[in-house]
Amino acid sequence: MQPVGIVLVSHSAELASGLCALLDQLGVQPGSVVAAGGTADGRIGTSYDAIAAAVKNADQGRGVVVLPDLGSSVITTRAVLDDHAQADVVLVDAPFVEGAVAAAVTAAGGADLATVTSAAQEARHAAKF
């Protein structure tokens, strides 16, 4: 069974790809977490086209959780999801790193979209020490 897909939307390509690398090291299924970071020409910012492509690539049939980092990544992601509405693609308000780790580990365990979404959201309350 394919896991719920996860899209990491960041202003920084390096931040998004670095978080993907971290999740890969935690054993997520290859291709289930997709980065959409930076602009098409390599600057800091977000790309409508990159987000749309990432959602499509992460969708393995069980839904997609989209985690933005901040500010305009939320606005751009909302525009993409408004233009390409799918009931099984969810924009989640969660901490970027902790939410991604919680979502990825939960998805890797075979959880459904609602459970993966909840795991990401609940990461907001996890104490670091």
Side-chain angles (χ1 to χ4, degrees):
M1 179 180 291
Q2 298 296 329
V4 169
I6 299 169
V7 173
L8 305 173
V9 180
S10 175
H11 286 75
S12 166
E14 292 84 2
L15 179 59
S17 64
L19 185 49
C20 271
L22 172 67
L23 298 176
D24 285 346
Q25 291 176 16
L26 294 177
V28 301
Q29 184 170 332
S32 65
V33 179
V34 181
T39 62
D41 60 358
R43 293 177 294 124
I44 295 293
T46 55
S47 165
Y48 179 103
D49 293 334
I51 296 166
V55 169
K56 183 177 180 181
N57 291 335
D59 190 353
Q60 299 178 26
R62 299 205 54 220
V64 177
V65 165
V66 183
L67 294 164
D69 61 359
L70 53 100
S72 67
S73 67
V74 174
I75 295 166
T76 307
T77 300
R78 282 185 171 156
V80 170
L81 299 183
D82 285 347
D83 292 347
H84 306 280
Q86 293 177 247
D88 63 348
V89 177
V90 181
L91 177 61
V92 179
D93 183 10
F96 193 60
V97 175
E98 294 88 341
V101 170
V105 169
T106 304
D112 64 9
L113 181 61
T115 304
V116 173
T117 299
S118 250
Q121 291 168 329
E122 290 170 10
R124 178 176 313 283
H125 305 292
K128 291 187 187 213
F129 54 89

